[in-house]
Amino acid sequence: HNLSELCTALTHLIKFPNATFEKLIDLVPGPDFPTGGEIIESRESILETYKTGRGGFRLRSKWSIEQLNHGQYQIVVTEIPYQVQKSRLIEKIADLMNLKKLPMLADIRDESTDEIRIILEPKNRTVDSKLLMEYLFKQTDMEIRFSLNMNVIDSHQVPRVMNLRDVLQAFLDHRREVLVRRKKFRLKKIRHRLEILGGYLVAFLNLDKVILIIREEEEPKKALTRSFNLTELQAEAILNMRLRQLRKLEEVEIQQENKKLTYEEKQ
């Protein structure tokens, strides 16, 4: 589906969890296939597919007419159905021409670069382009039917067929779970860092005594914990710093980081 259409549908579903399929089809008229093409399925058929989670879409190549000199014209195909190989499609049409099953078509050329451009040259200017294309739609993969079966594994790890609304809601539920987990993980990291910063502030304010304890005590970790009411994490963080680094502690920087993380924690 077109990303903007999906975003609009998801936003609508957040506001209206019981949105009707009629509304959803207005927001998401149909799939947006990577290689383009035109969906020629009726609205009723697409609506039924959305409701049941099963169905399909008829997908046609997109074409137009280019006028040439002396009233001649050529057909230019600029989009082909999804998963159709261009080379095989051209080969199939060429085979039909060799078998004399395409008397209306004189030649086919591939002028594609980064974009698809297949040239169909009719026998003469009196050939009806619509009749020619209708024949190609029936006999080749210029038109296909792409099946849809939304058989997915739900949040309870149970496979089942979902309709469009269920699929969209499942996506929203998943995104919410991801955001909650991410938030919890971030909060855990923030609290861990705040605890360490608290220890650093204590060390900075009592630098001489901290250095003395580290140099003279046989068990400096216990001594630091006891002397300054530190947690084991805080004491360990202080001990893991070299003395020369400890001397360079900047109180302002520590306080600024502490303030920033505290603010983030409350959001």
Side-chain angles (χ1 to χ4, degrees):
H1 293 286
N2 183 285
L3 183 59
S4 62
E5 292 175 349
L6 274 179
C7 290
T8 302
L10 289 169
T11 302
H12 182 79
L13 196 60
I14 291 173
K15 297 179 180 178
F16 307 99
N18 296 318
T20 65
F21 291 100
E22 286 75 9
K23 180 60 179 179
L24 290 178
I25 198 174
D26 289 337
L27 301 175
V28 187
D32 183 23
F33 292 99
T35 55
E38 296 178 315
I39 296 175
I40 59 172
E41 208 67 44
S42 67
R43 176 185 171 90
E44 291 72 22
S45 176
I46 296 176
L47 184 60
E48 185 63 23
T49 299
Y50 281 176
K51 287 181 178 179
T52 62
R54 286 195 176 98
F57 305 89
R58 284 185 297 157
L59 190 62
R60 279 186 175 180
S61 299
K62 191 172 183 179
W63 61 282
S64 61
I65 293 177
E66 283 188 356
Q67 297 294 337
L68 304 176
N69 295 331
H70 310 296
Q72 301 290 334
Y73 74 90
Q74 63 184 16
I75 297 172
V76 182
V77 178
T78 53
E79 296 177 10
I80 60 177
Y82 181 55
Q83 293 184 338
V84 172
Q85 291 188 16
K86 183 183 63 174
S87 58
R88 291 189 177 182
L89 176 61
I90 294 174
E91 183 180 343
K92 174 63 176 179
I93 296 174
D95 288 342
L96 290 174
M97 292 174 62
N98 292 333
L99 294 172
K100 309 300 182 182
K101 293 184 178 181
L102 267 176
M104 292 181 290
L105 188 63
D107 192 19
I108 179 172
R109 300 190 307 276
D110 183 10
E111 297 182 356
S112 305
T113 53
D114 293 336
E115 298 180 350
I116 292 176
R117 181 178 168 85
I118 302 173
I119 304 299
L120 301 174
E121 184 181 321
K123 279 285 186 181
N124 54 61
R125 62 186 180 185
T126 63
V127 171
D128 189 320
S129 59
K130 292 183 179 180
L131 287 178
L132 173 56
M133 292 306 299
E134 285 295 334
Y135 184 83
L136 289 174
F137 291 146
K138 292 179 181 179
Q139 298 298 323
T140 72
D141 284 343
M142 282 282 189
E143 177 181 320
I144 65 168
R145 182 171 177 79
F146 190 87
S147 298
L148 173 69
N149 184 6
M150 290 193 284
N151 190 8
V152 299
I153 298 177
D154 63 19
S155 59
H156 302 291
Q157 304 302 308
V158 177
R160 65 187 179 94
V161 177
M162 292 186 180
N163 57 43
L164 179 63
R165 185 171 58 204
D166 290 341
V167 169
L168 294 176
Q169 188 59 56
F171 175 79
L172 289 174
D173 294 341
H174 170 68
R175 289 303 303 161
R176 182 180 185 279
E177 182 179 355
V178 169
L179 291 174
V180 169
R181 288 184 179 182
R182 184 183 297 170
K183 183 68 173 180
K184 288 181 178 178
F185 178 79
R186 178 58 182 163
L187 282 173
K188 184 178 179 181
K189 300 290 284 187
I190 289 175
R191 287 163 184 166
H192 181 272
R193 181 61 179 169
L194 284 173
E195 186 175 347
I196 291 176
L197 290 175
Y200 287 167
L201 284 171
V202 170
F204 181 85
L205 296 174
N206 302 275
L207 190 56
D208 292 336
K209 188 174 181 180
V210 168
I211 293 174
L212 185 64
I213 289 174
I214 293 174
R215 285 177 173 174
E216 297 184 356
E217 292 288 339
E218 291 185 2
E219 295 184 347
K221 183 176 180 180
K222 290 184 178 180
L224 287 171
T225 302
R226 183 176 58 255
S227 299
F228 303 109
N229 194 29
L230 300 174
T231 65
E232 289 192 9
L233 176 64
Q234 290 172 327
E236 189 72 35
I238 293 172
L239 290 173
N240 285 336
M241 299 182 68
R242 296 178 181 179
L243 290 180
R244 61 184 179 85
Q245 291 176 320
L246 197 61
R247 293 179 186 276
K248 293 180 181 179
L249 282 174
E250 296 282 349
E251 184 180 12
V252 174
E253 291 182 3
I254 294 174
Q255 289 178 342
Q256 286 178 345
E257 184 180 358
N258 187 81
K259 182 179 180 181
K260 179 181 178 181
L261 291 177
T262 301
Y263 176 79
E264 184 178 349
E265 181 187 25
K266 293 178 179 179
Q267 297 305 304

